[in-house]
Every structure is written in C-alpha cells, then in structure tokens.
Amino acid sequence: MPELTFTLPPQYDPHAVEAPLYRRWQERGLFAPRADAEPYVVVIPPPNVTGVLHMGHGLNNTIQDVLIRFERMRGRAAEWLPGTDHAGIATQNVVERLIAKEGKTRFDLGREGFVARVWEFIRGTGPIILEQLRQIGCSCDWDRTRFTFDEHYTHAVREVFVALWEEGLIYRGHRVIHWCPRCLTALSDEEAESRETTGNLYHIKYPLADGSGSVTVATTRPETLLGDTAVVVHPDDPRGRPYLGKQVRLPIVNIPIPVLADESVDKDFGTGFVKVTPAHDPNDFEIGMRHKLEMPLIMTEDGHMGEGDGKTEGRKGESQRVPVELAGLDRFEARKKIVKMLEAQGLLVKVEPHHHAIRRCYRCDTVVEPRLSDQWFVKMKPLAEPVLAAYRRGEFAIVPERWRATFENWMENIRDWNISRQLWWGHRIPVFTCTKCKHRWADRADPQACPNCGGPLEQDPDVLDTWFSSWLWPFATFGWPERTADLARFYPGHTLVTAPEILFFWVARMLMAGYHFMGKKPFSTVYLTGTARDTQHRRMSKSLGNGIDPLDVVKLYGADALRWTLVGSGSLGADVILDPNDLETTFAPGRNFANKLWNIGRFILSQLPTQVTPIERVGRTQLTLADRWILSRAQATIREATASLEQFRLDEAAKTCFAFVWGELADWYVEAVKPRLSAGTEPTGSPSAAAQRAPAAAGDPVASRAAAQAVLSYCLDVALRLLHPVVPFITEELWQKLPGRGADELLPVASWPTTLKDLVNEVAERQFAFFQEGITKTRNVRSDYQIPPRQELIVHFLDATKDSAAGIASEKDTFERIGHLKLRFDPIGSHKGAATILRDGSEIFVVVDGVIDFDKQRNRLRSELSRLDHQIQKLAERLADPKFLSQAPAEIVDREREKERSWRRQHSTVFDRLHSIGG
RNA sequence: GGGCGAAUAGCUCAGCGGUUCAGAGCGCCUGCCUUACACGCAGGAAGUCGGGGGUUCGAAUCCCUCUUCGCCCACCA
C-alpha cells in the first residue's frame, strides 16, 4: 500500500504542536530577514517592560504577524523588530509600590539605589511580555530586540535632545502645566486625560474692601481661592463697571485683591465675575501675565494645602495665604472645609451641579492639579508642519482613512510638548548649569567643569518623558545616529500597526522625528486597530476586571484559535467585542475551524501515496468536472485572499480561505471524490459495488484516482499556505506531512501561492454550481418528506439547460453516492414547481426542475435590462450633446462611446437570455 | 462646544462605487455517531437592514433629519 503510515488523532491538540514548532522556526532562524530581497519592515509598538500581555497586544501583534508572515512568504526580507519601552512613570510606579511593601520609599533608597532597584526588577520582568508574544506565534526578528533604555538607544536620545537644543527647539518654560500630585511629576497635555464629570459650581461672595457690597464669583474649585490675586470681569459687561478698580477682600485669607477688566471672560457663564488663581489654572495664568499679578502657589506638590514652591525657580517667599486650620489638608478635604467656612460666614451664595471635564493622570488616574512650574518644552510647530504637508501629499497613509480629520486637526493645533518629568527612572536630561557663572547648556558628553569659567556644575535633576525616547523607535533601533547598514536597509519602514489611543503620543511624534532627523517618512502606512471591548462595549482593562488574558485562551484553545478569532471578528479598524464571561462562545469558531482543518488534512493525507504528481503535470483530460471546479475555485481563493491581504483586509482574507476549505473543499470536493479514491484500491474486475459504479464516466479508475490525489494534494497545499499567516501552527503541522516535503522545508518561508491561469475555468464553475443545486434540492425533498437517509431516491431531471445536464451527468457517480439516489434523465413534466414528490409504493420519485428558479432569474434579467436601457439612454443624450462633444477631451468622448457600445452589446445578450427562458 | 464612528437574524459581525443583496459564524429547531471531523453532517426557522423624509426606473447601500450608544478633541472659571 502506498498510503502514508502515520496516524493522526481525530482531534487537533494545539498544545502538543505549538511550542516545538515555534522552537524549530526560531532555531532555523526563519524570522531573520533574508539577505537577498527587498525589505518589508514593521517595528513593534514596544510594550512596557513591566507589562504583561493583554488583548490589545494580542490584537495588534497578531495583525502585525499576519502581515509580516504574508510578506515573508511573498519573498520579501521581512523584518519585524521587537522590543520594550522603559515606560518612565509606569515602571517607576510599579517599583515604588514594590518597595512600599518593604515599608520604604524611593527617597529611602536614594536616586542611584532606586534606579539600580528598577534595573534589577526589569531584568526579571522585561523578557516576560516578549516571551508571551512567542506563545501567540509572533515571528519577530528576536536577534534585533531593542529596549528604549539600551546604551545605544540612550545615546540616540541624548543626540536628539542636544540637536533640538542647538536648533533652538528646546526651551525652558515657566507656566501652568499638568501636575500629578501622586506621581509627583509634570505631565504632557496628552498624558492628562480629560474626562467628563459632574461636579459643583460654587457661587461665592467676595465682599468689597470698602464694605460697600460684594461681587459674586463662580468656581468649580473653591479651594483655589486661597491663591486668588484678582477678580476679573469682561470690560463690556455693565455688571462689572461699578466695581472696576475697586478692591475686594478675599474670603478666609482676608487680603485685598483688585477687580480688573479682562476680555477673556465669558459674559454668559456663571456670574460674569471670575476669580483668578494664576498659579493653579492655565487660563488664570495668562490673565495674571497680562495684569502682572502675583502668582502664589497654595498647594504642595503632593496636593495638600500649603506653600509649595515646587519647581518655581526664584519665586519663593510669597505671603502667607494658607491659614493654619487648612494647612496640610488634602485638596479635596480642604474644598469641603472651605465650603463650610464660607457657609458659616454667609459668603456661599449657592451650589449648583455642573458638568465639566476634569483631567486625570493617565498612569494612576489621580486628578491632575494645574500648577505653575518650570519645565523643558519642545517647539512642535516646526516639527509638525513637514509631516502635515507630507500627509497631504500622500507620502504616507493612515488606515482607516477616517482618522484623517482627527490627525490633521491635532497636527494643525499642535502645542508645545512638555518633556521634563520629575522622576528618577528615565533618560536624564543632559542640561548642565554652572553654579558659579550660571552658564546653562546641553551636552553630548558629561562635562566635568564649566567651559566658560571652570566652575562646578549641576545636571538638571529631571528625566525625559518616556515618549521622548519612543518617538525615535523606527530609526534609533537600527543604529541611528551612526550610519549603520541596518539603518540604510530598514529605514524607511512600511507598516505601523497600533492602537488609535497612541496616535498622538507616539505615531504623530514618530512621524515628526522621522522627517526631522532622517528627512524621510518612518513608514508608509499607519494601520490603526480597533479596541478590545467586552459585550457592554467597555474597554477591556485591569481596573474593570473585564479583560481576557490571551494566554488563558492559548491554554484553552490554542494560539491559532485566538488569532483566528481576533483576525476574523471585525473589519479593518473596527473594535473587537469579546465576552470575558464566555470564552467558549467567543473562541470556539477558531478552535472549530482548526479542528476542521486538522481533519480535512488528516483525511487527505491518509489518501495520498508517498509521491503525488504535481498538478501542473496531470493531464487535463484526466480531470473530472469536480476536479476542474475545485482547481478553479482554488485559483479564485488565491487571487481574492492575496488581494485582501494587500489591502489590509485580514478578516476578508480569512473568510475567503474559510469558505474555500470548509464550504468547498470539505463539503463538496472531498465528498465528490471519495468514490474515485476507493475505486482505485479495488483490484480490477472485483465484484464490489464501488468498482462496478466507478468506471462508468471516469474511464480508467487508477488514473482517475491519481488525478484526484493530485488535486487533493494541491488544494491542501494551497490552503495551508494561504492560511499560514493567520493560523501558523496547525498549517505548519499539516504541511510538514504532505508527501514529498523535504526535511528542511518550513512553511514560514515557503512561497506564497500564485494563480495558475489555465486552471481558471468558468464553465466548470457554472456546471458544478448546477450540480450543487441539484443535490441541495434533492436533499430538501428528502428532508421535507422525511425520507430515511439510506433510502434510495430516483431523481428525474428535466433537461432544462445544457449546463445542468452536462454538470450533473458528468458527476453522476458522485451525485448518486452523496444523495443516496438513482439518477435518470427524463424529458417529462412541466417546468412548474421546484420539486414534486410522488409516492409509488416503496419507491419515491422526485422531479427537480432543471435547478433554475426561473421566476427569480426572469426578474433579475428584467431589472438588468431596464437599468441598461436607462443608462444607454442617458449616455446617448450625452453623446448627442454638442457642448459635451466640443468641450470634453477626445479620450473621454472615445471612452464614453466605447462604453455605449459595450452597454448595447450587454443589452442584447441579456435580452436573448430573457427570451430563451420565456420572459 | 467641535469632530468622528456605530445602529443589518437572539448574539458577534460582513455587505455600503445601485447588476450578482439580504449574508457568515455562534445560538435555536428537525433528522443523522454516513469508514476525516458530533469541535461534525444534512435540512430548517429567524431580519419591513434604528425612525422619518428625499434623489432614482431601482436604495442596507447616496443625500437630509431625528433617536440611541460609543470614541476623540477643546482653558469656559
């Protein structure tokens, strides 16, 4: 017997397969880019070093892997660069919590000790998330793994800082910034997330200093009144006139402050009078600047009432504004207490509920405190403009395209970027100040003394925003600022796949850095994924406890099932809804498909000899209708799946392959081919039923069997290649077992299938469709009349069309086998009725009417005719219009004429068809 | 306050340049352990494509409007 000797279990077990296969791929170095081809480059959005894999990672890394595997199989030098981000605040928070358990703070350890502790910690956790990526099958180029705090990377960050400094794009800004009182650091605008909340609007009376009355101000943050240095009113507001130039007495603090006119006031909001707290509100800060007001801080850095001088250089010694009974109180406690005090003094006019946005720290969710402070900023406009222009020229694309407006709007209104963080974990800002002559500069190396006066130096204590390193990811990872071979080869890259929430944090800035420092775009397409959500459409998050651990899914159903679900569950950029309470329902489709693939593979492999004729060498005359059909379908599948992947329609590609494998190959072709497979195994002349039945249409049973085997083998091979990017493990496991597979052939580097034009066969597809419809209708009858499965039917076909007759006749054997029926062609009966049944004793007689729904067909043709009529008429009018003929370019006129001719041809074809079926 | 997206079968979603369009998977109902698969096979029920207008010979598909969800941006205290 030529059959392969191995046996496979009837259920696919991913666990036995995945890890060894992955190891084999990696040991063979398949994930490194090949040397001799055009590169295709994807850089991973580096996850936090302390992170563990969540569904968001699962989704975007699966997408990246599908793309990279697809291009790798197409022969590109596929470079998927992996790595991690040092994640300044996030990591510092994690380690601070860790040492808090030992009863210590970072100040106990000291700066150096703390940083050493963080390094120690991430040496343990850093590799975890990358290891998890391997478990879901990611084919990253692990030899080029990078970390945003690598020595070399740090060098790049410093170079960028100094370069921007030298270009005058970095400056020290004294202004109100977002301050996180828990993380004790400044935040960028993007890091302070605004969220809608219902708070209160407090109306508070400020008595006039001369005792002649009062003005009422409205505020959402009464505690800040301690820092008020003025009350302002719009100059045109008549309510303000009597008070302008007067002084009011600030409640509680009991000091006089002026009432001033300022145009920034909205007359229609609140009372028209606005309290001004320049040190704790960005808007008030602007007012303060205009009127040269004092700007006292009335909160400590950790959000308690008190005179914090914070980072305000040279602005110490403001007057005492925080009374003893409030000093040291948490800001929200202080708010309550101040409200009570005001109430007691009869100064609280009213409190009304108020919707507004408050900002919270994106890392710890603490309400951010606006705070006057000195920070380093990057001037963004000069960086943003070239990117915006390039985007409008179409140099790179963002998909889905609907992000255009959001992106452009942000880029147009870009604000300067606060890059300094009062943290210890991060790239230290390379700015040095001479304590003697106050000379301040940025330096590529660590200087020992002031170059001007030789005096002692102080380095800026702050570190850089973590995004100030990750924005260099597409080139710093390849060796920039050195001109390395990698950099020359892998920059610019191609596709960047990431979540939309970091479009501004990361993507926009990478584009800016890329254009600014490399002079070229970092990638040609930004693919923005959807968000993983639960069934209530809430974002999956640790705090909500509604997440799904991708590795749980891998354990339960395998990596392929996970990937299949993530890829297949939504179109480009759509959110992915998953049910954390029902993993079975959520991931069963993937598992089921893997199992189906396993079993179809199992069957086909069991039918194949050790050597199979390549499909190109099978004589075309040996092919039956079913063969010609499935081969043609395979070509369509190759074409469509390839096109879908090229357009980033991964779900579409997966569904196309699914329909081919399950709906066509398994459901129809394998069933159709079974008689031929068993027929060839019987010695010639055997009295067995199979042997008697087989030869009728197919000729030589041995040749027919060989042809079927060649087709099966080809189709399985194609399907496995096409599916490999989405479900890499099971496809490799099966592909390895195909006859003729060389010992060192592996699927990740196998070639992507290309269509074989001579196998495209529309006639076969049409004929087989009739065959399918005939079977289906017969099954309908059987089911409707509850005819037992094994009872044979005699089916009489009306010879309605040539195609149906030819199709069905040529697959008579198959038809009879699948349907448990006998087939006869009888030119009897009318065309009416889809199926008629006649009972005749034990024998059942079915008439299937030529497999065409004539009414539906006629309606379709009629509507097509009327559409064509309409279009032809319109076009004819146009072509008769002298204005059109004289003004339109000649080629357009020609094209329209050709169009008209083609429509007229179509019209007569349709008309004939309608006529032929009696319309 | 601006901008964007979604609303199609019980659930999760395709279809949205007007021929091929009312679909898939899951769930449900009825038969089947048919020698690859019960994680399966065959058959079936189920949707006035969110409401209302409009354009058209013809609209899930284009336009307007309303409703409901969701997201992003914004210094209205």
Side-chain angles (χ1 to χ4, degrees):
Chain A
M1 283 290 109
E3 273 78 16
L4 301 176
T5 49
F6 59 81
T7 54
L8 301 174
Q11 288 210 338
Y12 171 60
D13 176 15
H15 309 103
V17 165
E18 292 177 356
L21 280 182
Y22 194 92
R23 216 173 303 126
R24 198 166 154 203
W25 292 332
Q26 209 182 325
E27 278 163 9
R28 287 281 305 283
L30 302 188
F31 302 156
R34 41 190 292 190
D36 56 347
E38 193 197 333
Y40 173 75
V41 180
V42 173
V43 292
I44 205 170
N48 292 358
V49 260
T50 59
V52 290
L53 205 66
H54 60 238
M55 262 311 155
H57 297 126
L59 178 63
N60 82 55
N61 286 296
T62 297
I63 293 168
Q64 290 172 73
D65 196 42
V66 171
L67 296 175
I68 208 92
R69 283 180 185 270
F70 169 55
E71 295 294 353
R72 184 184 291 124
M73 289 177 78
R74 295 221 288 181
R76 300 278 286 273
E79 168 62 24
W80 184 10
L81 184 130
T84 46
D85 193 302
H86 71 282
I89 306 183
T91 305
Q92 175 156 330
N93 284 351
V94 168
V95 177
E96 280 189 304
R97 272 199 296 275
L98 201 73
I99 59 175
K101 284 185 193 146
E102 303 162 14
K104 288 187 198 152
T105 70
R106 67 177 149 123
F107 301 100
D108 295 329
L109 301 184
R111 185 163 187 150
E112 267 181 45
F114 180 77
V115 169
R117 187 63 194 269
V118 178
W119 273 108
E120 184 193 321
F121 178 70
I122 64 168
R123 261 189 279 276
T125 62
I128 290 178
I129 195 158
L130 299 181
E131 192 48 52
Q132 291 176 322
L133 289 175
R134 291 177 171 91
Q135 289 187 48
I136 65 169
C138 293
S139 59
C140 304
D141 179 12
W142 298 111
D143 293 339
R144 284 191 174 83
T145 303
R146 299 287 186 263
F147 178 44
T148 57
F149 222 157
D150 283 341
E151 197 184 333
H152 188 90
Y153 204 105
T154 301
H155 173 54
V157 170
R158 187 152 181 174
E159 172 61 31
V160 160
F161 185 95
V162 178
L164 290 175
W165 175 283
E166 287 168 350
E167 292 172 66
L169 293 179
I170 285 183
Y171 67 94
R172 191 75 169 158
H174 175 67
R175 67 182 66 159
V176 171
I177 45 82
H178 304 294
W179 178 268
C180 176
R182 204 220 61 86
C183 301
L184 299 180
T185 180
L187 299 171
S188 66
D189 295 340
E190 290 71 32
E191 288 171 317
E193 297 179 336
S194 56
R195 222 163 307 154
E196 289 289 324
T197 336
T198 306
N200 291 320
L201 189 62
Y202 301 86
H203 292 246
I204 302 167
K205 247 193 255 181
Y206 283 20
L208 283 171
D210 59 14
S212 67
S214 67
V215 298
T216 302
V217 300
T219 179
T220 55
R221 297 192 301 151
E223 71 279 12
T224 62
L225 74 76
L226 301 184
D228 287 0
T229 50
V231 168
V232 291
V233 64
H234 195 278
D236 299 339
D237 189 338
R239 290 174 296 182
R241 293 223 179 94
Y243 304 102
L244 284 179
K246 296 196 172 177
Q247 302 257 320
V248 292
R249 189 160 290 281
L250 189 58
I252 298 169
V253 186
N254 209 26
I255 56 172
I257 56 173
V259 179
L260 304 168
D262 194 279
E263 299 202 335
S264 69
V265 177
D266 178 352
K267 284 177 284 186
D268 300 323
F269 186 88
T271 61
F273 291 92
V274 180
K275 61 190 270 316
V276 181
T277 322
H280 291 282
D281 183 286
N283 203 31
D284 292 1
F285 174 75
E286 296 299 323
I287 297 173
M289 292 296 282
R290 281 196 286 276
H291 299 280
K292 300 191 167 51
L293 300 174
E294 271 185 55
M295 302 186 178
L297 283 159
I298 47 95
M299 272 183 228
T300 57
E301 288 181 342
D302 61 354
H304 291 72
M305 307 313 288
E307 317 267 329
D309 70 335
K311 301 276 296 175
T312 54
E313 294 161 8
R315 270 165 216 276
K316 303 185 184 185
E318 307 288 358
S319 61
Q320 269 309 154
R321 282 174 162 259
V322 182
V324 217
E325 64 265 47
L326 289 169
L329 266 190
D330 171 80
R331 55 196 163 140
F332 298 114
E333 292 302 317
R335 178 178 302 173
K336 286 183 204 159
K337 187 150 185 185
I338 285 177
V339 169
K340 267 192 201 139
M341 291 165 76
L342 291 170
E343 212 170 358
Q345 295 175 27
L347 296 176
L348 187 66
V349 178
K350 62 173 174 176
V351 182
E352 52 189 20
H354 180 62
H355 292 275
H356 62 128
I358 58 165
R359 288 184 176 257
R360 288 171 178 273
C361 171
Y362 82 137
R363 279 303 162 204
C364 71
D365 211 42
T366 302
V367 174
V368 161
E369 193 60 43
R371 186 180 178 86
L372 182 60
S373 136
D374 292 282
Q375 305 287 339
W376 294 107
F377 290 84
V378 178
K379 279 186 199 161
M380 296 304 271
K381 229 176 178 69
L383 299 178
E385 273 163 359
V387 174
L388 200 50
Y391 184 46
R392 289 178 171 150
R393 283 197 301 272
E395 277 186 28
F396 62 91
I398 300 176
V399 295
E401 174 64 24
R402 69 178 127 89
W403 287 99
R404 175 175 291 276
T406 307
F407 181 75
E408 288 188 347
N409 185 49
W410 189 80
M411 293 293 277
E412 281 166 2
N413 301 305
I414 197 154
R415 293 191 284 171
D416 287 352
W417 177 14
N418 173 3
I419 51 169
S420 45
R421 298 290 174 274
Q422 288 63 49
L423 303 172
W424 288 351
W425 176 243
H427 299 281
R428 184 90 179 252
I429 292 176
V431 170
F432 300 87
T433 310
C434 173
T435 53
K436 217 163 113 194
C437 73
K438 303 297 173 198
H439 173 54
R440 185 153 76 178
W441 77 105
D443 207 317
R444 287 182 174 81
D446 286 344
Q448 299 307 310
C450 176
N452 282 359
C453 69
L457 303 174
E458 267 175 7
Q459 181 171 3
D460 192 294
D462 292 347
V463 301
L464 290 161
D465 181 1
T466 198
W467 302 98
F468 192 88
S469 56
S470 38
W471 73 326
L472 314 177
W473 192 246
F475 51 89
T477 49
F478 291 120
W480 189 91
E482 274 73 58
R483 291 205 199 123
T484 61
D486 269 10
L487 193 62
R489 188 150 185 245
F490 299 127
Y491 192 97
H494 298 85
T495 314
L496 182 90
V497 181
T498 196
E501 53 259 37
I502 55 175
L503 179 59
F504 305 140
F505 274 117
W506 191 48
V507 180
R509 289 174 184 154
M510 270 192 293
L511 285 158
M512 292 188 242
Y515 276 98
H516 192 76
F517 294 103
M518 298 295 295
K520 272 186 266 184
K521 63 185 173 186
F523 27 72
S524 43
T525 306
V526 176
Y527 178 129
L528 295 176
T529 64
T531 307
R533 299 177 185 281
D534 68 10
T535 47
Q536 295 169 54
H537 295 198
R538 298 177 306 178
R539 148 184 262 110
M540 287 193 168
S541 75
K542 219 185 274 178
S543 54
L544 279 173
N546 62 347
I548 298 174
D549 182 347
L551 298 185
D552 284 349
V553 179
V554 171
K555 274 179 214 126
L556 285 167
Y557 309 111
D560 289 337
L562 171 73
R563 295 166 62 110
W564 179 262
T565 300
L566 291 176
V567 165
S569 62
S571 56
L572 202 170
D575 287 348
V576 175
I577 311 293
L578 304 168
D579 188 349
N581 299 314
D582 190 355
L583 297 185
E584 166 75 20
T585 298
T586 308
F587 296 99
R591 178 202 55 187
N592 295 355
F593 178 61
N595 198 238
K596 185 69 182 184
L597 195 56
W598 180 252
N599 273 290
I600 191 173
R602 195 159 75 103
F603 174 76
I604 292 176
L605 293 171
S606 76
Q607 299 299 325
L608 297 182
T610 47
Q611 288 223 314
V612 179
T613 318
I615 198 68
E616 295 86 348
R617 294 221 295 273
V618 175
R620 292 298 177 264
T621 54
Q622 307 272 12
L623 298 176
T624 66
L625 171 61
D627 296 339
R628 295 193 302 274
W629 169 74
I630 196 71
L631 290 170
S632 185
R633 292 308 305 146
Q635 307 317 306
T637 306
I638 293 170
R639 184 167 35 78
E640 287 165 25
T642 306
S644 296
L645 287 173
E646 282 171 343
Q647 294 155 37
F648 304 106
R649 303 297 312 249
L650 312 196
D651 59 320
E652 222 173 63
K655 277 165 192 159
T656 299
C657 295
F658 176 89
F660 173 69
V661 166
W662 200 322
E664 297 182 319
L665 187 59
D667 287 350
W668 290 96
Y669 185 72
V670 163
E671 295 305 325
V673 91
K674 275 176 178 171
R676 289 159 64 197
L677 292 170
S678 56
T681 62
E682 304 290 337
T684 321
S686 153
S688 85
Q692 283 173 0
R693 211 184 275 165
D700 174 15
V702 176
S704 167
R705 181 175 188 234
Q709 288 168 329
V711 175
L712 282 173
S713 177
Y714 169 78
C715 288
L716 181 60
D717 179 78
V718 165
L720 294 175
R721 287 176 199 250
L722 294 179
L723 281 163
H724 180 257
V726 180
V727 282
F729 293 108
I730 186 169
T731 47
E732 175 75 289
E733 183 67 12
L734 289 170
W735 196 74
Q736 284 301 316
K737 297 180 165 62
L738 276 170
R741 188 65 58 233
D744 51 358
E745 282 185 89
L746 288 163
L747 192 46
V749 289
S751 64
W752 190 252
T754 49
T755 51
L756 301 168
K757 290 221 171 56
D758 60 324
L759 293 180
V760 176
N761 190 330
E762 281 177 27
V763 175
E765 295 208 26
R766 210 163 51 238
Q767 289 188 345
F768 199 81
F770 283 114
F771 165 78
Q772 289 175 300
E773 220 170 321
I775 294 265
T776 303
K777 287 206 161 151
T778 310
R779 284 170 178 165
N780 286 346
V781 170
R782 188 185 287 283
S783 176
D784 287 351
Y785 291 90
Q786 298 175 344
I787 300 160
R790 303 283 170 64
Q791 183 171 340
E792 281 204 339
L793 292 179
I794 296 183
V795 178
H796 294 255
F797 274 93
L798 296 176
D799 192 4
T801 70
K802 268 189 246 164
D803 272 340
S804 74
I808 291 167
S810 73
E811 291 293 330
K812 189 165 177 287
D813 284 355
T814 316
F815 204 110
E816 294 190 337
R817 184 189 173 281
I818 297 178
H820 293 291
L821 39 82
K822 294 262 185 218
L823 192 62
R824 282 182 203 157
F825 287 90
D826 285 345
I828 56 156
S830 83
H831 285 203
K832 288 289 165 197
T836 316
I837 184 160
L838 308 166
R839 288 181 183 271
D840 174 22
S842 61
E843 193 175 68
I844 294 167
F845 182 82
V846 180
V847 178
V848 181
D849 78 342
V851 204
I852 296 175
D853 183 333
F854 286 104
D855 283 343
K856 202 175 174 187
Q857 189 87 350
R858 273 191 286 267
N859 284 341
R860 237 175 241 161
L861 291 173
R862 278 198 198 104
S863 93
E864 198 174 340
L865 266 190
S866 105
R867 182 182 62 86
L868 283 167
D869 273 338
H870 187 75
Q871 288 179 337
I872 290 169
Q873 195 194 331
K874 270 193 178 167
L875 197 55
E877 277 167 23
R878 199 162 174 219
L879 285 167
D881 180 1
K883 208 167 152 192
F884 172 74
L885 292 174
S886 61
Q887 290 180 9
E891 72 240 54
I892 300 280
V893 177
D894 285 349
R895 207 159 64 201
E896 297 294 274
R897 286 210 172 104
E898 178 49 42
K899 210 192 268 175
E900 193 202 7
R901 279 193 288 276
S902 136
W903 282 351
R904 285 192 192 281
R905 279 197 298 272
Q906 268 185 48
H907 188 278
S908 73
T909 312
V910 172
F911 186 83
D912 290 349
R913 267 166 65 197
L914 184 59
H915 189 69
S916 75
I917 59 169

